Amino acid sequence: MSSDAVKKRKPKVIRNEAGTPETKRGRAEGEQDVLVYNEEVELEGRDPQQDYMLYKDTCAALAKLMAEIQELKSGGAKVGSVEMEERRRQCSVHFITLKKLNRLAHMRLKKGRDQTHEAKQRVDVLHLQLQNLLYEVMHLQKEISKCLEFKSQHEEIELVSEEEFFQEAPAEISRPHVTRDDHHQLTLARLDWELEQRKRLAEQYKMSLARKEKIHKAIEQKREYLSSLQPGLQNIMQASLPVQECLSMPFEQMQKQAEVARHLPPPLYVLLVQAAAYGQACGKTHIFTLNKTLSASISGDVDEAKALSRPPEDSQDDESDSDAEEEQQNTKRRRASVGVQLDDKRKEMLRRHPLSLCVDLKCKDGSVLHLFFYYLMNLNILTVKTKVSTTTDLSGAVSAGELLNSESLLNCLYASDHGQETPNPTNRYQFDKVGITTFADYVSDLGHPYVWVQKLGGLQFSSDGAQVALSASHMERTMKLLQGRLQARLALHKQFSSLEHSIIPISGECQHLFPAKVVSGLTRWTMMSYQEFTELGFVQHVLKAGLLRETDLFFMAVVERGTARLLAAVVVNPRYPEVMPLFSLSLHWKGERSGRTEDNLRAMESEVNMFRAELQGPRPGLQLLTNQIQRLCVCLDVYLETESQVCDGSEGPKEFPREKMCLRTARGPSRLKPFKYNHPQGFFSHR
């Protein structure tokens, strides 16, 4: 049968996506039956999972047919052969199936999107309704808050309590039968009672003013009487001066100092008052008495200070005349150069107040620390200069020359307070105007502006605060620190005198820290500069660690025993003995060694630098440095005596015979030596 005949016999299929699947008959005679096909209706009855399985099976069958066609072509079959045509028809049927499945998938996707869109629209409608309700709720809450927050003017008036109102108010105002049940009427009644009370108090105020005037007149009369007694009292005070001198009660001197103190600038006056309060609280002295623990005196030009405090007189005529005269003089003389003008501006900016304050702080050994306080008016800061007076001659020690130097004596009294720059941040802008680069260039002339000095005078630049309270909070601690600094420097001065003569002074309280016999000895003790110290090779690790400051004191100690020579670079912090001195070691014996190259030298450094509790001695620990040097000598003895023992146990060189008793000469892979001295057993052991 031909293909044309087959096409004629096939029924006509009409795809209608909008209609329903029906088989419509009843057409005119001779016409073919027409089938109406709707894929959307078919889609509702199909299972997506089954369509997916059909898709997989169709793809597998199509791949199989393609493979067979490939085999036939490779086997030599012709293109128009029966097998080839049969497989082509089957492939076409499978392609049609795949197209149908593709349409169904797109229809499912479209249907899902439509359903999702409808659901979103419903959600949007509900959300809009919810927002409308929330807006109404918020509006109602605002209205309620406005009603609750409404305040009437009568609420600002402090009325008496209800119980007191009903007890004190008369019945015609309180009306208990009405106000107890009506809160509004109660408030009105309380306001009426408040008005009546205020009227009565106004009358009392007028009467009090009248009594005040009478009392004031009586006081004036008594004041006139007392002023008439002033000449007689002055004569009595003048006659009592010999008695005051005999009894050491200088009331006249105190009065004169009080008169001068009135012209002090506020920071110096605060410092004077707090020094007086501290002296009286300690119970040892009065501020104006001499030869006591704490004393103060005012020096300077009082007349100039009075002129500064006197307000300038307003005289416009004089000013105009003086301006005219100055203009005439300026035309005749040469204008000053810019450099001279800047110098004048610098001098004016760095100008001191005419009055200064001297505070003398005395120690138990009779030494005196003189503190001279100055006030720079334009910079609004305090500066201090120092001077030390001792009962003994301290010119013997060369290395102690910087200990009592007035430029560095009070450095770092508090941590990091070097006193080289002004603590007032506004001074930086003032310096820029007159060409001052740093305040440190003027410290030697003006004094050091330490932060603790500003606090003693009630000056604080970081935050506002009461001057007297600020000064009082720092007075006691600062006075104790100053006494401790002076005692520590004097103790170091005496120790340096002995160290320069190769003598290590050890007090009786510290003898138990060391063995009875120490062979190694100090041979040299010299002072170094910061530049010389930084050039040493065995202290570079200390520099990298940032443990040094230019304000520290640097020394070189040489300890020797036989051919061994130990160099110790010593850093003494200005806050000694609160901050422990730092030792760095280098041994010259059979070569050069340091703590960076040998573990035992590093252990010796730790013995000297770390164990403060063992080495400081009795409080306040002024023997700390000499005890460290003595322990360094002991550690060198142990190092050399244990180093002489060779590994096979035979005797080593006789230069360093064994004199120290050690439980073990070495321990561990690094062969650390026993540097710890055990008292009273007298042997050395490891840490």
Side-chain angles (χ1 to χ4, degrees), residues 64 111 151 213 242 311 320 328 364 385 443 512 594 676:
K64 182 178 181 183
K111 185 177 179 181
K151 291 185 178 180
E213 290 296 330
S320 60
Q328 293 177 359
K364 296 180 180 179
K385 285 188 174 183
V443 165
H512 67 280
S594 66
K676 179 183 178 182

Side-chain angles (χ1 to χ4, degrees), residues 138-174:
M138 183 176 64
H139 177 70
L140 293 175
Q141 288 177 349
K142 287 183 178 179
E143 294 297 327
I144 293 172
S145 299
K146 289 181 181 179
C147 295
L148 294 176
E149 292 176 357
F150 175 77
K151 291 185 178 180
S152 178
Q153 292 184 354
H154 78 277
E155 295 181 0
E156 299 178 359
I157 302 175
E158 295 183 3
L159 302 176
V160 297
S161 62
E162 295 182 6
E163 296 179 358
E164 186 178 353
F165 168 70
F166 285 114
Q167 290 177 2
E168 297 180 357
E172 59 271 12
I173 296 179
S174 62

Side-chain angles (χ1 to χ4, degrees), residues 337-448:
S337 62
V338 178
V340 175
Q341 292 178 358
L342 281 179
D343 290 339
D344 294 340
K345 290 181 179 179
R346 292 192 191 102
K347 291 179 181 178
E348 179 63 25
M349 181 169 292
L350 301 176
R351 183 183 174 190
R352 293 175 179 170
H353 193 274
L355 298 180
S356 61
L357 183 65
C358 176
V359 177
D360 296 336
L361 188 63
K362 299 184 180 181
C363 299
K364 296 180 180 179
D365 57 356
S367 57
V368 183
L369 177 62
H370 305 280
L371 301 172
F372 303 95
F373 295 94
Y374 304 97
Y375 178 65
L376 305 184
M377 297 180 292
N378 294 321
L379 300 182
N380 191 28
I381 58 174
L382 287 175
T383 60
V384 64
K385 285 188 174 183
T386 59
K387 181 182 177 182
V388 178
S389 300
T390 58
T391 57
T392 59
D393 185 15
L394 299 179
S395 60
V398 178
S399 60
E402 292 295 326
L403 291 179
L404 300 179
N405 188 357
S406 60
E407 297 296 327
S408 60
L409 177 61
L410 302 182
N411 279 349
C412 300
L413 187 67
Y414 289 85
S416 303
D417 190 3
H418 305 291
Q420 295 296 323
E421 293 296 336
T422 170
N424 190 350
T426 59
N427 297 155
R428 183 68 268 162
Y429 303 99
Q430 295 174 299
F431 291 165
D432 293 339
K433 293 181 180 180
V434 296
I436 297 177
T437 57
T438 176
F439 188 77
D441 299 336
Y442 304 91
V443 165
S444 58
D445 296 331
L446 301 177
H448 293 267

Side-chain angles (χ1 to χ4, degrees), residues 93-107:
V93 173
H94 290 313
F95 274 119
I96 292 170
T97 304
L98 289 177
K99 289 179 69 178
K100 180 178 180 180
L101 292 174
N102 185 33
R103 288 195 306 275
L104 293 175
H106 281 289
M107 292 172 66

Side-chain angles (χ1 to χ4, degrees), residues 318-598:
D318 295 341
E319 290 180 359
S320 60
D321 295 339
S322 61
D323 292 340
E325 293 177 359
E326 288 180 0
E327 289 179 359
Q328 293 177 359
Q329 293 177 0
N330 289 335
T331 57
K332 296 180 180 179
R333 64 186 181 185
R334 186 175 56 186
R335 181 178 297 177
S337 62
V338 178
V340 175
Q341 292 178 358
L342 281 179
D343 290 339
D344 294 340
K345 290 181 179 179
R346 292 192 191 102
K347 291 179 181 178
E348 179 63 25
M349 181 169 292
L350 301 176
R351 183 183 174 190
R352 293 175 179 170
H353 193 274
L355 298 180
S356 61
L357 183 65
C358 176
V359 177
D360 296 336
L361 188 63
K362 299 184 180 181
C363 299
K364 296 180 180 179
D365 57 356
S367 57
V368 183
L369 177 62
H370 305 280
L371 301 172
F372 303 95
F373 295 94
Y374 304 97
Y375 178 65
L376 305 184
M377 297 180 292
N378 294 321
L379 300 182
N380 191 28
I381 58 174
L382 287 175
T383 60
V384 64
K385 285 188 174 183
T386 59
K387 181 182 177 182
V388 178
S389 300
T390 58
T391 57
T392 59
D393 185 15
L394 299 179
S395 60
V398 178
S399 60
E402 292 295 326
L403 291 179
L404 300 179
N405 188 357
S406 60
E407 297 296 327
S408 60
L409 177 61
L410 302 182
N411 279 349
C412 300
L413 187 67
Y414 289 85
S416 303
D417 190 3
H418 305 291
Q420 295 296 323
E421 293 296 336
T422 170
N424 190 350
T426 59
N427 297 155
R428 183 68 268 162
Y429 303 99
Q430 295 174 299
F431 291 165
D432 293 339
K433 293 181 180 180
V434 296
I436 297 177
T437 57
T438 176
F439 188 77
D441 299 336
Y442 304 91
V443 165
S444 58
D445 296 331
L446 301 177
H448 293 267
Y450 295 110
V451 177
W452 57 267
V453 177
Q454 318 306 319
K455 292 182 178 179
L456 288 182
L459 296 176
Q460 187 172 6
F461 304 107
S462 58
S463 60
D464 296 333
Q467 291 184 342
V468 177
L470 178 66
S471 175
S473 61
H474 289 79
M475 175 60 67
E476 182 176 3
R477 184 185 178 190
T478 303
M479 291 297 108
K480 291 182 179 179
L481 288 176
L482 290 171
Q483 285 182 332
R485 173 62 60 88
L486 181 58
Q487 292 177 358
R489 291 299 174 91
L490 292 176
L492 284 177
H493 201 288
K494 295 178 181 179
Q495 294 171 9
F496 288 177
S497 299
S498 300
L499 294 177
E500 287 183 358
H501 293 84
S502 301
I503 300 173
I504 304 176
I506 303 298
S507 61
E509 296 87 350
C510 301
Q511 290 291 344
H512 67 280
L513 299 175
F514 313 102
K517 184 177 181 181
V518 180
V519 182
S520 299
L522 180 69
T523 59
R524 190 174 58 145
W525 175 264
T526 56
M527 188 175 185
M528 303 174 61
S529 65
Y530 176 76
Q531 185 65 28
E532 294 173 345
F533 189 87
T534 54
E535 293 176 357
L536 298 176
F538 58 93
V539 300
Q540 298 304 315
H541 63 287
V542 180
L543 289 172
K544 293 179 181 179
L547 301 177
L548 303 182
R549 298 290 185 274
E550 293 188 12
T551 55
D552 296 337
L553 302 176
F554 306 97
F555 302 91
M556 175 64 73
V558 180
V559 180
E560 294 183 358
R561 179 179 177 182
T563 59
R565 188 166 179 262
L566 180 64
L567 303 180
V570 185
V571 181
V572 180
N573 192 280
R575 299 171 64 195
Y576 173 89
E578 181 180 352
V579 178
M580 195 171 184
L582 181 64
F583 283 68
S584 300
L585 305 181
S586 175
L587 179 63
H588 294 265
W589 182 62
K590 296 181 181 181
E592 184 177 356
R593 316 173 193 180
S594 66
R596 302 300 95 192
T597 59
E598 186 173 346

Side-chain angles (χ1 to χ4, degrees), residues 254-273:
M254 292 167 54
Q255 185 178 2
K256 291 180 180 179
Q257 291 281 11
E259 289 293 331
V260 176
R262 293 172 52 191
H263 304 286
L264 284 173
L268 289 180
Y269 184 79
V270 171
L271 178 57
L272 177 65
V273 171

Side-chain angles (χ1 to χ4, degrees), residues 123-280:
V123 171
D124 290 342
V125 171
L126 295 175
H127 185 264
L128 182 60
Q129 294 176 357
L130 176 61
Q131 292 296 327
N132 291 335
L133 293 175
L134 291 177
Y135 179 77
E136 293 179 2
V137 170
M138 183 176 64
H139 177 70
L140 293 175
Q141 288 177 349
K142 287 183 178 179
E143 294 297 327
I144 293 172
S145 299
K146 289 181 181 179
C147 295
L148 294 176
E149 292 176 357
F150 175 77
K151 291 185 178 180
S152 178
Q153 292 184 354
H154 78 277
E155 295 181 0
E156 299 178 359
I157 302 175
E158 295 183 3
L159 302 176
V160 297
S161 62
E162 295 182 6
E163 296 179 358
E164 186 178 353
F165 168 70
F166 285 114
Q167 290 177 2
E168 297 180 357
E172 59 271 12
I173 296 179
S174 62
R175 294 177 295 167
H177 60 282
V178 177
T179 56
R180 289 189 180 275
D181 299 330
D182 191 345
H183 182 72
H184 177 66
Q185 294 296 329
L186 175 61
T187 303
L188 294 177
R190 293 172 68 188
L191 290 173
D192 293 338
W193 176 240
E194 182 71 18
L195 179 61
E196 292 293 333
Q197 285 183 319
R198 294 196 177 193
K199 289 180 180 179
R200 185 172 65 252
L201 291 175
E203 293 294 333
Q204 294 179 1
Y205 175 70
K206 292 180 181 179
M207 296 172 63
S208 299
L209 285 178
R211 287 199 304 270
K212 178 183 176 183
E213 290 296 330
K214 293 180 180 179
I215 295 173
H216 182 68
K217 291 180 180 179
I219 291 174
E220 288 296 331
Q221 293 176 359
K222 293 179 180 179
R223 186 173 295 169
E224 292 177 358
Y225 173 73
L226 292 176
S227 61
S228 63
L229 295 177
Q230 184 68 22
L233 293 176
Q234 289 181 353
N235 295 331
I236 295 174
M237 291 293 295
Q238 191 68 25
S240 65
L241 288 179
V243 180
Q244 295 179 22
E245 294 178 359
C246 181
L247 298 178
S248 298
M249 300 174 65
F251 296 112
E252 186 72 17
Q253 183 182 0
M254 292 167 54
Q255 185 178 2
K256 291 180 180 179
Q257 291 281 11
E259 289 293 331
V260 176
R262 293 172 52 191
H263 304 286
L264 284 173
L268 289 180
Y269 184 79
V270 171
L271 178 57
L272 177 65
V273 171
Q274 291 305 317
Y278 176 73
Q280 292 178 2

